[in-house]
Amino acid sequence: MAAYVDHGFAELADGTVTLKCTPEQEALTFEGAGAFRIEHVTELEVPVLVAKGAVDQGDPPGRWAAPLAEALPRGTFVEYEHLGHFGPLQDPITVSRDIVAFATRVGAFGG
């Protein structure tokens, strides 16, 4: 979370802050969430880890995380009970450890 705050915002001359990305970039982040179509993932052949936080913050993508993992031929789902939708920013050590463990298990590092 600190990295997001420290590097995602710029301080303005009047003492307020603004996002470093453009309003268009920020909007595109959320625009795609409603356009998701699960039938397109059934052909994906690589292992995919789908993770979400359990703390309900009204995040629509959180509703399709488990069905997405189930639809993926090689999907794995994990839910972090102590995290919200900014999980990697809230607990980067746990999330990164789990990603590395998953990637190692499925041979993503060539091993």
Side-chain angles (χ1 to χ4, degrees), residues 52-55 79-83:
K52 74 173 280 305
V55 179
E79 183 172 61
Y80 294 97
E81 295 291 329
H82 67 294
L83 300 177

Side-chain angles (χ1 to χ4, degrees), residues 70-88:
E70 290 175 22
L72 289 160
R74 297 180 65 194
T76 299
F77 176 71
V78 64
E79 183 172 61
Y80 294 97
E81 295 291 329
H82 67 294
L83 300 177
H85 73 279
F86 282 122

Side-chain angles (χ1 to χ4, degrees), residues 6-101:
D6 291 345
H7 303 288
F9 295 91
E11 189 170 347
L12 301 176
D14 65 1
T16 62
V17 296
T18 187
L19 285 171
K20 285 185 177 178
C21 66
T22 67
E24 293 79 17
Q25 290 169 325
E26 178 74 1
L28 286 171
T29 299
F30 299 100
E31 187 177 293
F36 176 74
R37 299 195 44 162
I38 204 161
E39 64 268 13
H40 295 294
V41 302
T42 59
E43 298 172 12
L44 193 60
E45 296 179 12
V46 298
V48 178
L49 178 64
V50 179
K52 74 173 280 305
V55 179
D56 183 12
Q57 296 173 313
D59 59 328
R63 290 192 289 271
W64 51 255
L68 171 62
E70 290 175 22
L72 289 160
R74 297 180 65 194
T76 299
F77 176 71
V78 64
E79 183 172 61
Y80 294 97
E81 295 291 329
H82 67 294
L83 300 177
H85 73 279
F86 282 122
L89 301 174
Q90 294 171 292
D91 188 354
I93 292 171
T94 298
V95 174
S96 61
R97 180 197 66 217
D98 290 353
I99 291 169
V100 169

